[in-house]
Amino acid sequence: MKIGLLQFPGSNCDQDCIDAFRRHYSMDLQTIWHTETTLPSVKGIIIPGGFSYGDYLRSGALASHSPVMQEVVRFAGRGGPIMGVCNGFQVLTETKLLPGALLKNASQKFICKTVALFGESGSSAWHKSLKGSVTRLPIAHGQGRYHCDEETLAKLTDRNQIVVRYSSIDGKFSDTSNPNGSMHAIAGIVNDSGKIFGLMPHPERATDVLTGGSSDGLRYWKSFIDLCS
Amino acid sequence: MPSQYEVVVELKREVLDAEGRAIRDVLRKTGATAVEDVTVSRRFVVSIADSESQTYVENLAREFLANPVSETFKVKKLP
């Protein structure tokens, strides 16, 4: 089984994804450059973190118009699973494959730290693995504040599309446990089919306790691999 | 001769303008206590061929330059 990994000019978390998959799943990701107009035969697509196109215009905005993203939209239309991390989440919202937008952090600061994430209820592959538990992943972003209008937030809540929310280590919600001011402390959501997942924290940086502080990232990737299989 | 249009993109009123707030707070701390609020917007100047009109620029603004989830835009032809 092959899983694709998009690369834009400015993507910088692609190598961590490649390392994580090779080390933990003996799998070589198929890299796909942003100018490609056809996709290789892959069962899923990862959109990695970084600063694609320098975050010019808006984070993920220019990348969403790259040739490869037109093919990714068609892939999504055929039910293909996609996981977008950090800048990848931003690209997914700019492409409208996920609702909402990621805005500048409320504190105006770039935040780089490990956060706790509470798993919400839902039926996607990620919900099944994470529901009711607290995982710890690092975040590293200046534009991670999730925003949508009230109608969209109601839909996300009613349809159980919120996967993880920033919380305390014991799963409680407060302003202090929300690092970037995200609406409803949203850290990651799926689309209505449950096949497209976008999250701001970095699971590829938490696959090994020695280097990541936790190996909780493996639970996110395992769910994705199972969905692709 | 190309025509020039100014596109100003702003955050919607209901969206927190964290950058504007930070600027306001620093201005006040440095003595500009009369400052009540600051909002930050972005200005693009788009030069287009004469064969196209303001509608063309408005479409560009709507589809590309502004994110309709969080931003609004205004387009004005420049002299």
Side-chain angles (χ1 to χ4, degrees):
Chain A
M1 177 177 75
K2 275 288 185 188
I3 291 177
L5 174 71
L6 300 189
Q7 291 175 315
F8 302 98
S11 294
N12 66 12
C13 300
D14 43 336
Q15 195 58 50
D16 279 346
C17 291
I18 290 167
D19 286 350
F21 271 70
R22 203 171 271 157
R23 194 174 310 126
H24 296 285
Y25 308 112
S26 300
M27 203 184 283
D28 284 325
L29 295 174
Q30 173 75 58
T31 57
I32 307 168
W33 188 229
H34 69 116
T35 54
E36 293 294 335
T37 53
T38 57
L39 290 178
S41 177
V42 292
K43 293 290 190 186
I45 290 175
I46 297 167
I47 312 180
F51 297 90
S52 60
Y53 292 81
D55 276 2
Y56 293 160
L57 185 59
R58 296 177 303 278
S59 296
L62 297 183
S64 71
H65 291 276
S66 60
V68 77
M69 281 311 296
Q70 294 182 44
E71 293 307 307
V72 171
V73 169
R74 290 195 192 99
F75 177 83
R78 298 192 294 270
I82 301 173
M83 190 157 155
V85 177
C86 202
N87 189 223
F89 188 7
Q90 293 160 340
V91 174
L92 287 170
T93 58
E94 286 285 343
T95 324
K96 306 281 186 282
L97 287 175
L98 285 175
L102 285 314
L103 309 182
K104 279 184 186 159
N105 295 344
S107 64
Q108 280 293 293
K109 293 178 184 165
F110 185 98
I111 302 169
C112 187
K113 66 176 188 177
T114 298
V115 296
L117 302 163
F118 182 78
E120 295 282 311
S121 297
S123 58
S124 78
W126 294 278
H127 282 104
K128 286 173 187 163
S129 167
L130 301 168
K131 185 175 88 168
S133 67
V134 175
T135 50
R136 296 175 75 244
L137 296 183
I139 58 169
H141 58 248
Q143 271 188 236
R145 174 172 43 127
Y146 184 77
H147 174 81
C148 61
D149 57 32
E150 290 298 328
E151 188 188 336
T152 303
L153 181 61
K155 276 188 198 160
L156 290 175
T157 312
D158 293 346
R159 295 177 190 179
N160 296 317
Q161 287 178 239
I162 301 169
V163 181
V164 280
R165 297 170 65 202
Y166 300 107
S167 73
S168 63
I169 197 66
D170 50 2
K172 303 277 190 301
F173 304 107
S174 68
D175 286 347
T176 47
S177 62
N178 184 342
N180 53 31
S182 281
M183 187 174 258
H184 203 51
I186 287 171
I189 60 171
V190 286
N191 70 334
D192 45 17
S193 75
K195 296 258 186 90
I196 301 176
F197 179 32
L199 72 162
M200 285 311 294
H202 289 266
E204 76 285 6
R205 295 188 192 177
T207 62
D208 189 310
V209 172
L210 184 65
T211 55
S214 102
S215 58
D216 289 346
L218 292 173
R219 292 169 65 177
Y220 292 74
W221 293 120
K222 183 68 170 58
S223 296
F224 181 59
I225 291 168
D226 289 346
L227 186 58
C228 294
S229 301
Chain B
M1 183 84 171
S3 303
Q4 289 197 320
Y5 290 85
E6 172 190 90
V7 180
V8 175
V9 176
E10 296 177 320
L11 284 172
K12 289 180 177 174
R13 279 179 188 274
E14 64 267 28
V15 179
L16 166 67
D17 183 347
E19 187 175 8
R21 186 182 62 177
I23 294 169
R24 180 202 71 184
D25 291 348
V26 171
L27 283 174
R28 282 189 181 162
K29 280 179 190 163
T30 52
T33 53
V35 173
E36 294 193 354
D37 197 18
V38 176
T39 57
V40 181
S41 55
R42 285 182 299 159
R43 177 178 179 266
F44 304 84
V45 174
V46 183
S47 301
I48 59 167
D50 265 344
S51 53
E52 298 292 348
S53 66
Q54 180 154 329
T55 307
Y56 183 80
V57 180
E58 285 168 359
N59 288 335
L60 285 180
R62 186 175 302 110
E63 301 295 324
F64 200 83
L65 297 178
N67 182 334
V69 174
S70 54
E71 296 172 326
T72 59
F73 66 87
K74 289 182 201 134
V75 178
K76 183 174 80 175
K77 187 163 191 214
L78 295 176

